[in-house]
Amino acid sequence: MENKLEKIISLAKRRGFVYPGSEIYGGLAGTWDYGPLGAEMMHNIKEAWWKKFVSSRDDMYGIASSIIGPEQVWAASGHLEHFTDSLKKGKFNIMFKSKIGALKEETSNVYLRPELAQGMFVNFKNIIDSFHPKLPFGIAQIGRCFRNEISPRDFLFRVREFDLMEFEYFVREKDWEKYFEYWRKEMWNWIEDVGIDKNKASELEVAPENRAHYSKRTIDFEYDFPFGKKELYGLAYRTDHDLKNHKLDYYDEDTKERFVPHVIEPTFGVGRTILTILDSAYTEDELGGEKRVFLKFKPSVAPVKVAVFPLLKNKPELVNKAKEVYEMVKKEVQPVVFDDNGNIGKRYRRQDEIGTPFCVTIDFQTLDDNTITVRDRDTGKQERVKIEELCFILREKF
Ligand code: ATP
Protein backbone atom coordinates (compact mmCIF):
# COMPACT_ATOMS: atom_id res chain seq x y z
CA MET A 1 0.00 0.00 0.00
CA GLU A 2 1.45 3.32 -1.07
CA ASN A 3 2.35 5.80 1.69
CA LYS A 4 0.87 3.61 4.37
CA LEU A 5 2.76 5.38 7.14
CA GLU A 6 1.48 8.79 5.99
CA LYS A 7 -2.07 7.43 5.91
CA ILE A 8 -1.71 6.07 9.45
CA ILE A 9 -0.19 9.32 10.77
CA SER A 10 -2.94 11.37 9.16
CA LEU A 11 -5.71 9.14 10.53
CA ALA A 12 -4.07 9.08 13.97
CA LYS A 13 -3.99 12.88 14.08
CA ARG A 14 -7.42 13.54 12.56
CA ARG A 15 -9.25 11.08 14.80
CA GLY A 16 -7.43 11.82 18.05
CA PHE A 17 -5.00 8.94 18.52
CA VAL A 18 -1.68 10.79 18.35
CA TYR A 19 -0.71 14.45 17.86
CA PRO A 20 2.76 15.95 17.26
CA GLY A 21 4.23 17.16 20.58
CA SER A 22 4.01 20.94 21.31
CA GLU A 23 2.46 21.43 17.88
CA ILE A 24 1.10 24.97 18.40
CA TYR A 25 4.70 26.10 18.95
CA GLY A 26 5.98 24.41 15.83
CA GLY A 27 6.48 20.97 17.37
CA LEU A 28 9.33 19.36 19.27
CA ALA A 29 11.12 16.64 17.30
CA GLY A 30 10.92 13.18 18.82
CA THR A 31 7.85 13.87 20.96
CA TRP A 32 4.26 12.84 20.31
CA ASP A 33 1.17 13.40 22.46
CA TYR A 34 -1.47 10.73 22.75
CA GLY A 35 -5.03 11.98 22.29
CA PRO A 36 -8.09 10.40 23.91
CA LEU A 37 -8.19 7.37 21.58
CA GLY A 38 -4.43 6.80 21.68
CA ALA A 39 -4.35 7.15 25.46
CA GLU A 40 -7.20 4.64 25.79
CA MET A 41 -5.38 2.20 23.52
CA MET A 42 -2.18 2.69 25.47
CA HIS A 43 -4.03 2.00 28.69
CA ASN A 44 -5.53 -1.20 27.23
CA ILE A 45 -2.10 -2.42 26.14
CA LYS A 46 -0.45 -1.71 29.48
CA GLU A 47 -3.32 -3.31 31.36
CA ALA A 48 -3.20 -6.45 29.21
CA TRP A 49 0.56 -6.67 29.62
CA TRP A 50 0.42 -6.21 33.39
CA LYS A 51 -2.27 -8.86 33.69
CA LYS A 52 -0.44 -11.38 31.51
CA PHE A 53 3.07 -10.92 32.86
CA VAL A 54 2.56 -9.65 36.42
CA SER A 55 -0.74 -9.93 38.26
CA SER A 56 -1.79 -13.35 36.93
CA ARG A 57 1.56 -14.89 37.93
CA ASP A 58 2.94 -16.01 41.28
CA ASP A 59 6.60 -15.43 40.39
CA MET A 60 6.48 -11.77 39.33
CA TYR A 61 6.82 -8.65 41.49
CA GLY A 62 5.56 -5.40 39.97
CA ILE A 63 7.21 -2.11 40.92
CA ALA A 64 7.20 1.54 39.83
CA SER A 65 10.64 3.04 40.37
CA SER A 66 12.01 6.59 40.02
CA ILE A 67 12.76 8.11 36.65
CA ILE A 68 15.66 10.16 38.02
CA GLY A 69 18.74 8.23 39.06
CA PRO A 70 22.08 9.29 40.53
CA GLU A 71 25.28 9.05 38.54
CA GLN A 72 26.44 6.00 40.53
CA VAL A 73 23.60 3.85 39.15
CA TRP A 74 24.51 4.62 35.54
CA ALA A 75 28.21 4.22 36.20
CA ALA A 76 27.64 0.76 37.72
CA SER A 77 25.32 -0.31 34.90
CA GLY A 78 27.85 0.75 32.26
CA HIS A 79 25.50 3.26 30.64
CA LEU A 80 27.74 6.24 31.37
CA GLU A 81 30.45 4.64 29.34
CA HIS A 82 28.55 2.74 26.69
CA PHE A 83 25.13 4.24 26.03
CA THR A 84 25.67 5.86 22.66
CA ASP A 85 23.59 6.39 19.55
CA SER A 86 24.05 3.70 16.94
CA LEU A 87 24.64 6.41 14.32
CA LYS A 88 27.44 8.07 16.25
CA LYS A 89 29.24 5.44 18.29
CA GLY A 90 31.97 6.41 20.79
CA LYS A 91 31.36 10.11 21.58
CA PHE A 92 27.94 11.09 22.29
CA ASN A 93 26.03 9.66 25.25
CA ILE A 94 22.27 9.71 24.68
CA MET A 95 21.20 9.88 28.33
CA PHE A 96 19.50 13.14 29.41
CA LYS A 97 21.64 14.69 32.12
CA SER A 98 20.42 17.10 34.77
CA LYS A 99 21.39 18.47 38.16
CA ILE A 100 19.56 18.06 41.42
CA GLY A 101 19.55 20.53 44.34
CA ALA A 102 19.10 24.32 44.50
CA LEU A 103 22.52 25.48 45.66
CA LYS A 104 25.52 25.12 43.40
CA GLU A 105 27.70 23.49 46.06
CA GLU A 106 24.96 20.98 46.84
CA THR A 107 24.13 19.97 43.26
CA SER A 108 24.89 16.56 41.92
CA ASN A 109 24.54 14.97 38.50
CA VAL A 110 21.47 12.89 37.82
CA TYR A 111 20.16 11.19 34.69
CA LEU A 112 16.70 10.44 33.37
CA ARG A 113 16.55 6.68 32.97
CA PRO A 114 17.17 5.48 29.40
CA GLU A 115 15.81 2.00 30.27
CA LEU A 116 13.78 0.47 33.10
CA ALA A 117 16.08 -2.35 34.08
CA GLN A 118 18.22 -0.49 36.61
CA GLY A 119 15.05 0.29 38.62
CA MET A 120 14.54 -3.45 39.01
CA PHE A 121 18.18 -4.12 39.92
CA VAL A 122 18.47 -1.38 42.54
CA ASN A 123 15.31 -2.77 44.19
CA PHE A 124 16.44 -6.40 44.01
CA LYS A 125 17.45 -6.47 47.68
CA ASN A 126 14.26 -4.69 48.78
CA ILE A 127 12.11 -7.30 47.04
CA ILE A 128 14.09 -10.14 48.60
CA ASP A 129 13.84 -8.61 52.08
CA SER A 130 10.09 -7.93 51.79
CA PHE A 131 8.91 -11.03 49.94
CA HIS A 132 11.64 -13.73 50.25
CA PRO A 133 11.06 -15.02 46.71
CA LYS A 134 12.54 -18.32 45.55
CA LEU A 135 14.34 -18.50 42.22
CA PRO A 136 13.26 -18.18 39.50
CA PHE A 137 11.32 -14.95 39.94
CA GLY A 138 10.96 -11.65 38.14
CA ILE A 139 10.68 -7.94 38.87
CA ALA A 140 8.56 -6.00 36.40
CA GLN A 141 7.55 -2.46 35.65
CA ILE A 142 5.96 -0.18 33.10
CA GLY A 143 7.30 3.34 32.79
CA ARG A 144 8.72 6.18 30.80
CA CYS A 145 12.30 6.24 29.51
CA PHE A 146 14.27 9.03 27.87
CA ARG A 147 16.90 8.91 25.16
CA ASN A 148 18.40 11.89 23.41
CA GLU A 149 18.18 10.16 20.03
CA ILE A 150 20.24 12.03 17.45
CA SER A 151 17.73 11.46 14.73
CA PRO A 152 14.17 10.76 15.92
CA ARG A 153 12.03 9.52 13.02
CA ASP A 154 9.31 7.29 11.65
CA PHE A 155 6.42 8.50 13.80
CA LEU A 156 6.27 6.56 17.10
CA PHE A 157 9.16 4.31 16.14
CA ARG A 158 12.09 6.43 17.27
CA VAL A 159 11.23 9.11 19.78
CA ARG A 160 13.01 10.83 22.65
CA GLU A 161 10.68 9.73 25.42
CA PHE A 162 8.72 6.49 25.39
CA ASP A 163 7.10 3.96 27.71
CA LEU A 164 8.56 0.52 28.16
CA MET A 165 7.06 -2.62 29.66
CA GLU A 166 9.79 -4.86 30.92
CA PHE A 167 10.88 -7.43 33.43
CA GLU A 168 14.08 -8.91 34.74
CA TYR A 169 13.72 -12.63 35.35
CA PHE A 170 16.27 -13.99 37.82
CA VAL A 171 17.46 -17.57 37.34
CA ARG A 172 20.35 -19.86 38.21
CA GLU A 173 23.07 -19.67 35.55
CA LYS A 174 22.53 -23.30 34.51
CA ASP A 175 18.87 -22.57 33.73
CA TRP A 176 19.25 -19.49 31.54
CA GLU A 177 18.67 -21.25 28.20
CA LYS A 178 15.52 -22.94 29.45
CA TYR A 179 13.97 -19.65 30.56
CA PHE A 180 15.19 -17.79 27.50
CA GLU A 181 13.18 -20.26 25.41
CA TYR A 182 10.20 -20.04 27.74
CA TRP A 183 10.00 -16.22 27.48
CA ARG A 184 10.61 -16.34 23.76
CA LYS A 185 7.40 -18.35 23.36
CA GLU A 186 5.49 -16.08 25.74
CA MET A 187 6.55 -13.05 23.70
CA TRP A 188 5.09 -14.66 20.58
CA ASN A 189 1.87 -15.33 22.51
CA TRP A 190 1.71 -11.68 23.50
CA ILE A 191 2.24 -10.60 19.87
CA GLU A 192 -0.79 -12.68 18.93
CA ASP A 193 -2.87 -11.55 21.95
CA VAL A 194 -2.73 -7.86 21.03
CA GLY A 195 -3.44 -8.31 17.34
CA ILE A 196 -0.01 -7.78 15.79
CA ASP A 197 0.17 -9.41 12.35
CA LYS A 198 2.33 -12.48 13.04
CA ASN A 199 3.21 -12.83 9.37
CA LYS A 200 4.99 -9.48 9.49
CA ALA A 201 6.92 -10.30 12.68
CA SER A 202 10.13 -12.30 12.80
CA GLU A 203 13.15 -12.99 14.96
CA LEU A 204 16.70 -11.79 14.45
CA GLU A 205 19.56 -13.42 16.31
CA VAL A 206 21.67 -10.37 17.12
CA ALA A 207 25.36 -10.82 16.24
CA PRO A 208 27.83 -10.42 19.14
CA GLU A 209 29.25 -7.15 17.77
CA ASN A 210 25.74 -5.61 17.66
CA ARG A 211 24.61 -6.69 21.13
CA ALA A 212 24.32 -4.27 24.05
CA HIS A 213 27.37 -4.21 26.33
CA TYR A 214 25.61 -6.35 28.97
CA SER A 215 24.22 -9.09 26.74
CA LYS A 216 25.50 -12.59 25.92
CA ARG A 217 22.54 -13.42 23.73
CA THR A 218 19.86 -11.19 22.24
CA ILE A 219 16.94 -11.88 19.96
CA ASP A 220 15.26 -8.90 18.36
CA PHE A 221 11.61 -9.39 17.53
CA GLU A 222 11.35 -7.47 14.30
CA TYR A 223 8.34 -6.17 12.43
CA ASP A 224 7.97 -5.31 8.79
CA PHE A 225 7.14 -1.60 9.22
CA PRO A 226 6.21 0.57 6.19
CA PHE A 227 9.78 1.98 6.44
CA GLY A 228 11.47 -1.45 6.63
CA LYS A 229 12.09 -4.37 8.92
CA LYS A 230 13.04 -3.00 12.34
CA GLU A 231 13.18 -3.95 16.02
CA LEU A 232 9.86 -4.13 17.80
CA TYR A 233 10.86 -5.91 21.03
CA GLY A 234 14.00 -7.42 22.52
CA LEU A 235 14.84 -10.52 24.50
CA ALA A 236 18.24 -10.42 26.17
CA TYR A 237 20.30 -12.68 28.38
CA ARG A 238 21.92 -10.04 30.59
CA THR A 239 24.01 -12.62 32.49
CA ASP A 240 24.93 -11.51 36.03
CA HIS A 241 26.37 -8.24 34.69
CA ASP A 242 24.08 -5.83 36.54
CA LEU A 243 23.69 -7.55 39.90
CA LYS A 244 27.45 -8.06 40.04
CA ASN A 245 28.17 -4.42 39.28
CA HIS A 246 25.69 -3.29 41.92
CA LYS A 247 27.35 -5.78 44.32
CA LEU A 248 24.14 -7.71 44.92
CA ASP A 249 23.65 -11.43 45.40
CA TYR A 250 21.15 -14.05 46.50
CA TYR A 251 21.13 -16.48 49.40
CA ASP A 252 19.33 -19.77 48.88
CA GLU A 253 17.87 -20.80 52.26
CA ASP A 254 17.38 -24.42 51.15
CA THR A 255 20.84 -25.15 49.77
CA LYS A 256 22.67 -22.58 51.94
CA GLU A 257 24.44 -21.22 48.85
CA ARG A 258 25.20 -17.56 48.14
CA PHE A 259 25.55 -16.62 44.48
CA VAL A 260 24.70 -14.00 41.85
CA PRO A 261 21.60 -14.91 39.81
CA HIS A 262 21.56 -14.51 36.03
CA VAL A 263 18.96 -12.48 34.21
CA ILE A 264 16.65 -12.92 31.23
CA GLU A 265 15.06 -9.67 30.09
CA PRO A 266 12.07 -9.40 27.75
CA THR A 267 11.41 -5.77 26.84
CA PHE A 268 8.41 -4.27 25.06
CA GLY A 269 8.18 -0.70 23.73
CA VAL A 270 4.66 0.70 24.16
CA GLY A 271 4.88 3.22 21.29
CA ARG A 272 6.25 0.61 18.90
CA THR A 273 3.45 -1.73 19.99
CA ILE A 274 0.85 0.93 19.16
CA LEU A 275 2.46 1.70 15.80
CA THR A 276 2.62 -2.00 14.98
CA ILE A 277 -1.00 -2.60 15.96
CA LEU A 278 -2.08 0.40 13.86
CA ASP A 279 -0.12 -0.97 10.90
CA SER A 280 -1.51 -4.50 11.37
CA ALA A 281 -5.07 -3.23 11.76
CA TYR A 282 -5.13 -0.64 8.96
CA THR A 283 -7.36 -2.00 6.18
CA GLU A 284 -8.87 -0.53 3.05
CA ASP A 285 -11.74 -2.31 1.35
CA GLU A 286 -15.00 -1.76 -0.44
CA LEU A 287 -18.33 -2.11 1.32
CA GLY A 288 -21.69 -1.60 -0.41
CA GLY A 289 -19.88 -0.20 -3.45
CA GLU A 290 -18.04 2.41 -1.35
CA LYS A 291 -14.38 2.58 -0.43
CA ARG A 292 -13.73 2.52 3.29
CA VAL A 293 -10.83 2.53 5.74
CA PHE A 294 -11.11 0.57 8.93
CA LEU A 295 -8.91 -0.51 11.81
CA LYS A 296 -9.25 -4.20 12.50
CA PHE A 297 -8.38 -3.97 16.20
CA LYS A 298 -8.83 -6.86 18.58
CA PRO A 299 -11.75 -5.87 20.85
CA SER A 300 -9.40 -5.89 23.85
CA VAL A 301 -7.21 -3.07 22.47
CA ALA A 302 -9.91 -1.08 20.65
CA PRO A 303 -10.22 2.41 22.19
CA VAL A 304 -14.01 2.43 21.78
CA LYS A 305 -15.77 -0.88 22.34
CA VAL A 306 -19.33 -0.16 21.19
CA ALA A 307 -21.15 2.75 19.51
CA VAL A 308 -24.89 3.28 20.01
CA PHE A 309 -26.99 5.15 17.44
CA PRO A 310 -30.62 6.21 17.16
CA LEU A 311 -31.52 5.83 13.48
CA LEU A 312 -32.76 9.44 13.32
CA LYS A 313 -31.86 12.30 15.61
CA ASN A 314 -35.14 14.23 15.22
CA LYS A 315 -37.32 11.43 16.61
CA PRO A 316 -37.32 11.78 20.42
CA GLU A 317 -38.74 8.29 20.92
CA LEU A 318 -35.73 6.79 19.05
CA VAL A 319 -33.24 9.05 20.82
CA ASN A 320 -34.65 8.24 24.27
CA LYS A 321 -34.64 4.52 23.61
CA ALA A 322 -31.07 4.76 22.27
CA LYS A 323 -29.97 6.61 25.42
CA GLU A 324 -31.47 3.84 27.53
CA VAL A 325 -29.55 1.22 25.56
CA TYR A 326 -26.39 3.33 25.76
CA GLU A 327 -26.62 3.44 29.58
CA MET A 328 -27.24 -0.29 29.69
CA VAL A 329 -24.26 -1.15 27.44
CA LYS A 330 -21.99 1.18 29.43
CA LYS A 331 -22.57 -0.96 32.49
CA GLU A 332 -21.24 -3.95 30.53
CA VAL A 333 -18.24 -2.57 28.57
CA GLN A 334 -16.41 0.78 28.34
CA PRO A 335 -15.88 3.10 26.64
CA VAL A 336 -19.12 3.32 24.67
CA VAL A 337 -20.01 6.29 22.46
CA PHE A 338 -23.40 7.71 21.59
CA ASP A 339 -23.66 9.30 18.14
CA ASP A 340 -26.71 10.80 16.47
CA ASN A 341 -24.87 13.02 14.01
CA GLY A 342 -25.32 12.58 10.25
CA ASN A 343 -26.69 9.70 8.25
CA ILE A 344 -26.28 6.21 9.62
CA GLY A 345 -23.85 5.09 6.88
CA LYS A 346 -21.48 7.94 7.77
CA ARG A 347 -21.71 7.07 11.45
CA TYR A 348 -20.74 3.46 10.69
CA ARG A 349 -17.75 4.68 8.62
CA ARG A 350 -16.61 6.97 11.43
CA GLN A 351 -16.59 4.06 13.88
CA ASP A 352 -14.91 1.74 11.35
CA GLU A 353 -12.12 4.26 10.97
CA ILE A 354 -11.32 4.20 14.70
CA GLY A 355 -11.74 0.43 14.94
CA THR A 356 -14.92 0.19 17.05
CA PRO A 357 -15.81 -3.51 16.90
CA PHE A 358 -19.61 -3.17 17.21
CA CYS A 359 -22.29 -0.59 16.42
CA VAL A 360 -25.77 -0.90 17.90
CA THR A 361 -28.67 0.85 16.13
CA ILE A 362 -32.09 1.66 17.51
CA ASP A 363 -34.70 1.97 14.72
CA PHE A 364 -38.49 2.04 14.35
CA GLN A 365 -38.75 -1.71 14.70
CA THR A 366 -37.13 -1.35 18.15
CA LEU A 367 -40.18 0.58 19.31
CA ASP A 368 -42.44 -2.28 18.17
CA ASP A 369 -40.60 -5.39 19.29
CA ASN A 370 -37.66 -4.30 21.50
CA THR A 371 -35.03 -5.55 19.05
CA ILE A 372 -31.93 -3.66 17.89
CA THR A 373 -29.27 -4.30 15.25
CA VAL A 374 -25.66 -5.16 16.09
CA ARG A 375 -23.27 -4.44 13.25
CA ASP A 376 -19.91 -6.17 12.94
CA ARG A 377 -17.09 -3.80 11.89
CA ASP A 378 -15.16 -6.24 9.70
CA THR A 379 -18.01 -7.71 7.66
CA GLY A 380 -20.49 -4.82 7.91
CA LYS A 381 -23.16 -7.47 8.58
CA GLN A 382 -26.01 -6.67 10.93
CA GLU A 383 -27.74 -9.03 13.26
CA ARG A 384 -31.11 -8.24 14.84
CA VAL A 385 -31.32 -9.23 18.50
CA LYS A 386 -33.51 -8.57 21.50
CA ILE A 387 -32.36 -5.75 23.79
CA GLU A 388 -32.35 -8.14 26.77
CA GLU A 389 -29.87 -10.37 24.92
CA LEU A 390 -27.50 -7.55 23.97
CA CYS A 391 -25.37 -7.56 27.12
CA PHE A 392 -25.04 -11.32 27.00
CA ILE A 393 -23.93 -11.15 23.35
CA LEU A 394 -21.39 -8.38 24.06
CA ARG A 395 -20.02 -10.29 27.03
CA GLU A 396 -19.38 -13.23 24.69
CA LYS A 397 -17.74 -11.03 22.02
CA PHE A 398 -15.40 -9.35 24.48
P1 ATP B 1 17.13 0.49 18.51
O1 ATP B 1 18.22 -0.46 18.02
O2 ATP B 1 15.93 0.55 17.63
O3 ATP B 1 17.66 1.84 18.90
P2 ATP B 1 17.57 -0.55 21.05
O4 ATP B 1 18.26 -1.82 20.70
O5 ATP B 1 18.35 0.60 21.54
O6 ATP B 1 16.61 -0.12 19.86
P3 ATP B 1 16.57 -1.40 23.53
O7 ATP B 1 17.61 -0.64 24.25
O8 ATP B 1 16.63 -2.87 23.49
O9 ATP B 1 16.42 -0.87 22.05
O10 ATP B 1 15.16 -0.88 24.02
C1 ATP B 1 14.12 -1.74 24.35
C2 ATP B 1 12.87 -1.42 23.55
O11 ATP B 1 12.58 -0.05 23.68
C3 ATP B 1 12.97 -1.63 22.05
O12 ATP B 1 12.73 -2.97 21.71
C4 ATP B 1 11.89 -0.71 21.55
O13 ATP B 1 10.61 -1.34 21.62
C5 ATP B 1 11.91 0.43 22.54
N1 ATP B 1 12.67 1.61 22.08
C6 ATP B 1 14.01 1.77 22.12
N2 ATP B 1 14.37 2.98 21.69
C7 ATP B 1 13.22 3.60 21.34
C8 ATP B 1 12.92 4.91 20.83
N3 ATP B 1 13.88 5.79 20.59
N4 ATP B 1 11.64 5.22 20.59
C9 ATP B 1 10.65 4.33 20.86
N5 ATP B 1 10.87 3.11 21.35
C10 ATP B 1 12.14 2.73 21.59
Side-chain angles (χ1 to χ4, degrees):
M1 196 186 300
E2 225 181 297
N3 296 328
K4 190 173 180 192
L5 185 65
E6 280 165 35
K7 288 179 179 179
I8 290 172
I9 295 175
S10 147
L11 189 157
K13 187 177 173 212
R14 188 162 34 83
R15 299 306 310 272
F17 283 88
V18 182
Y19 306 115
S22 306
E23 195 184 11
I24 61 165
Y25 290 101
L28 178 65
T31 66
W32 294 89
D33 294 344
Y34 288 81
L37 299 189
E40 196 66 46
M41 222 179 135
M42 186 187 245
H43 173 80
N44 293 341
I45 289 163
K46 289 179 180 176
E47 198 186 18
W49 188 90
W50 193 262
K51 210 169 184 183
K52 177 175 174 62
F53 293 110
V54 187
S55 52
S56 70
R57 300 184 60 102
D58 301 327
D59 59 351
M60 205 64 82
Y61 297 82
I63 62 166
S65 72
S66 306
I67 286 174
I68 299 172
E71 198 156 60
Q72 295 93 306
V73 169
W74 307 110
S77 69
H79 283 79
L80 266 189
E81 196 183 338
H82 298 286
F83 206 59
T84 52
D85 191 289
S86 54
L87 295 175
K88 226 177 163 185
K89 283 224 182 300
K91 282 178 268 80
F92 181 75
N93 195 299
I94 62 170
M95 281 196 293
F96 280 96
K97 188 175 181 178
S98 188
K99 297 216 177 272
I100 220 162
L103 296 172
K104 211 172 177 193
E105 54 277 18
E106 283 176 9
T107 60
S108 53
N109 290 336
V110 291
Y111 293 84
L112 301 188
R113 63 183 178 199
E115 57 154 44
L116 297 180
Q118 298 312 315
M120 280 75 115
F121 295 125
V122 300
N123 282 291
F124 178 78
K125 190 171 177 310
N126 288 333
I127 298 296
I128 289 190
D129 291 348
S130 306
F131 298 93
H132 313 287
K134 294 255 176 283
L135 288 178
F137 71 91
I139 307 181
Q141 72 173 317
I142 297 177
R144 191 142 287 209
C145 297
F146 299 80
R147 294 183 189 180
N148 196 3
E149 298 278 3
I150 292 174
S151 160
R153 61 191 173 280
D154 299 325
F155 192 32
L156 305 174
F157 180 80
R158 190 169 300 288
V159 293
R160 290 193 169 121
E161 55 169 293
F162 52 94
D163 284 339
L164 281 183
M165 308 181 287
E166 183 175 292
F167 54 87
E168 308 305 317
Y169 199 70
F170 301 97
V171 301
R172 287 170 177 270
E173 184 177 8
K174 69 173 176 54
D175 292 332
W176 81 264
E177 277 155 313
K178 179 168 101 189
Y179 289 107
F180 194 91
E181 285 310 314
Y182 171 79
W183 289 117
R184 185 182 186 171
K185 287 198 189 87
E186 287 296 300
M187 290 179 82
W188 277 109
N189 290 339
W190 163 262
I191 285 174
E192 196 152 30
D193 287 352
V194 287
I196 291 172
D197 184 351
K198 258 189 153 176
N199 299 321
K200 291 171 91 177
S202 53
E203 289 184 4
L204 172 79
E205 185 74 46
V206 180
E209 63 275 20
N210 295 330
R211 287 197 296 247
H213 60 275
Y214 48 71
S215 172
K216 253 200 183 157
R217 185 177 180 198
T218 298
I219 287 178
D220 281 353
F221 286 73
E222 296 193 313
Y223 182 79
D224 203 353
F225 291 98
F227 40 85
K229 207 180 232 202
K230 299 265 161 72
E231 175 178 341
L232 165 63
Y233 300 144
L235 173 64
Y237 168 40
R238 283 181 90 118
T239 69
D240 55 359
H241 170 87
D242 302 88
L243 289 183
K244 231 181 193 165
N245 286 345
H246 291 303
K247 301 190 172 39
L248 294 161
D249 60 16
Y250 177 85
Y251 182 70
D252 189 321
E253 302 276 354
D254 299 335
T255 62
K256 312 288 178 218
E257 294 165 275
R258 186 170 283 285
F259 59 95
V260 182
H262 281 234
V263 172
I264 310 295
E265 177 196 73
T267 181
F268 307 73
V270 176
R272 286 188 194 179
T273 305
I274 291 177
L275 175 55
T276 307
I277 293 175
L278 285 171
D279 181 81
S280 300
Y282 186 94
T283 315
E284 292 177 354
D285 73 352
E286 222 168 79
L287 194 67
E290 246 187 74
K291 279 204 162 134
R292 71 159 179 165
V293 168
F294 71 107
L295 294 176
K296 218 173 183 164
F297 288 143
K298 284 236 170 151
S300 57
V301 300
V304 175
K305 308 295 188 204
V306 180
V308 178
F309 309 145
L311 182 65
L312 298 170
K313 99 193 248 187
N314 56 359
K315 297 280 173 205
E317 56 286 27
L318 289 182
V319 173
N320 290 341
K321 193 75 190 166
K323 286 211 166 128
E324 244 176 63
V325 173
Y326 166 71
E327 291 299 335
M328 182 185 90
V329 175
K330 245 167 86 166
K331 287 199 186 105
E332 196 59 46
V333 285
Q334 287 139 11
V336 182
V337 301
F338 180 90
D339 187 6
D340 58 6
N341 220 338
N343 78 46
I344 198 83
K346 284 210 174 107
R347 282 183 259 165
Y348 286 143
R349 296 291 182 279
R350 278 205 290 271
Q351 295 304 320
D352 290 346
E353 207 187 28
I354 61 166
T356 305
F358 305 104
C359 292
V360 171
T361 301
I362 285 75
D363 55 17
F364 290 105
Q365 194 178 329
T366 312
L367 305 176
D368 284 341
D369 64 5
N370 244 10
T371 60
I372 38 100
T373 63
V374 180
R375 175 183 175 277
D376 179 272
R377 173 198 64 205
D378 300 345
T379 61
K381 291 219 169 80
Q382 296 181 32
E383 197 186 344
R384 189 165 275 281
V385 301
K386 284 206 167 338
I387 290 183
E388 312 89 84
E389 290 167 14
L390 180 59
C391 287
F392 181 71
I393 289 168
L394 290 176
R395 212 171 297 158
E396 266 197 343
K397 296 200 189 274
F398 286 99

